[in-house]
Amino acid sequence: MLEELITWDKEVFLYLNGLGTETWDGFWLFITNKWSAIPLYVVLLGTLYHFFGWKRTLIALVFIGLLITATDQLANFFKYGVQRPRPCHDLDIGSLVRLVKKSCGGKFGYFSAHASNSIALATFFSVLFKAKIKWISTPLALWALLVAYSRIYIGVHYPLDVATGILIGLIFGGLFANLSIFAFEKFGT
């Protein structure tokens, strides 16, 4: 069963990765670049301050720092614990991978920290702003899903790496958002 799942994962990866074209490479490289989201983060920070004030914004920033640290470190723990090679390092399919960026990245790829971090942030802010900006979860989810998919497009993660990252991001984003709201009530007045 596990071998069938891994085979399916490789086949789906090769299909999705093979859909890429040079026309779209620049867009997906921009989306996958962690620095390209800085304007979004600035807007979210300003919105956070606008609705919650400086004290609650500082509390939220602490929880955001803890959130990213938790998802990042858990991804590293799994990468080195599971030791599943990235598609571009996989001896079975490595020559078939359409690697869009200059380097493949680290040797192991299960699970995608990009996917978990972007989904975690989208979930965190969606939960925090749900009473203030009802529509915000849709654009945040779209952004996070684009980041997650970009990892397949550029050739560095399998679909199951990304799906696991999405699941972890949803869990941790919701957990840390609710912890942040609890801290708002205790310390943010």
Side-chain angles (χ1 to χ4, degrees), residues 39-105:
L40 173 63
Y41 301 151
V42 169
V43 168
L44 289 171
L45 182 62
T47 306
L48 193 62
Y49 176 76
H50 172 76
F51 285 116
F52 295 107
W54 70 269
K55 196 170 186 182
R56 289 182 175 190
T57 297
L58 289 176
I59 291 169
L61 286 173
V62 167
F63 281 97
I64 290 167
L66 292 170
L67 169 62
I68 297 304
T69 300
T71 55
D72 242 16
Q73 292 309 305
L74 188 61
N76 285 331
F77 175 79
F78 271 84
K79 283 178 185 172
Y80 294 102
V82 174
Q83 296 188 351
R84 182 180 189 200
R86 291 179 184 268
C88 41
H89 289 306
D90 189 318
L91 297 176
D92 293 336
I93 66 164
S95 63
L96 303 173
V97 173
R98 185 176 180 278
L99 186 62
V100 177
K101 56 186 246 177
K102 291 179 181 162
S103 69
C104 185

Side-chain angles (χ1 to χ4, degrees), residues 13-188:
F13 167 79
L14 288 172
Y15 174 76
L16 294 173
N17 178 253
L19 292 175
T21 65
E22 287 184 22
T23 305
W24 287 96
D25 289 354
F27 170 77
W28 290 107
L29 284 169
F30 175 79
I31 292 295
T32 207
N33 185 325
K34 63 184 174 187
W35 303 111
S36 67
I38 288 178
L40 173 63
Y41 301 151
V42 169
V43 168
L44 289 171
L45 182 62
T47 306
L48 193 62
Y49 176 76
H50 172 76
F51 285 116
F52 295 107
W54 70 269
K55 196 170 186 182
R56 289 182 175 190
T57 297
L58 289 176
I59 291 169
L61 286 173
V62 167
F63 281 97
I64 290 167
L66 292 170
L67 169 62
I68 297 304
T69 300
T71 55
D72 242 16
Q73 292 309 305
L74 188 61
N76 285 331
F77 175 79
F78 271 84
K79 283 178 185 172
Y80 294 102
V82 174
Q83 296 188 351
R84 182 180 189 200
R86 291 179 184 268
C88 41
H89 289 306
D90 189 318
L91 297 176
D92 293 336
I93 66 164
S95 63
L96 303 173
V97 173
R98 185 176 180 278
L99 186 62
V100 177
K101 56 186 246 177
K102 291 179 181 162
S103 69
C104 185
K107 186 174 181 181
F108 306 118
Y110 184 81
F111 59 88
S112 170
H114 273 76
S116 65
N117 290 342
S118 62
I119 293 290
L121 284 173
T123 303
F124 182 90
F125 281 106
S126 293
V127 170
L128 233 56
F129 292 146
K130 73 178 174 187
K132 309 278 185 192
I133 312 171
K134 295 187 184 334
W135 54 266
I136 199 156
S137 61
T138 300
L140 287 176
L142 178 62
W143 162 75
L145 290 170
L146 285 172
V147 171
Y149 178 74
S150 74
R151 308 309 287 167
I152 298 167
Y153 183 96
I154 67 169
V156 298
H157 281 291
Y158 289 106
L160 286 178
D161 300 346
V162 170
T164 302
I166 289 170
L167 180 62
I168 298 295
L170 286 169
I171 293 167
F172 277 69
L175 173 67
F176 279 84
N178 283 298
L179 289 172
S180 185
I181 291 167
F182 176 76
F184 285 179
E185 293 167 3
K186 288 288 186 190
F187 310 109

Side-chain angles (χ1 to χ4, degrees), residues 4-14 84 158-161:
E4 291 172 1
L5 184 62
I6 290 171
T7 299
W8 173 86
D9 199 25
K10 289 180 181 185
E11 290 171 357
V12 172
F13 167 79
L14 288 172
R84 182 180 189 200
Y158 289 106
L160 286 178
D161 300 346

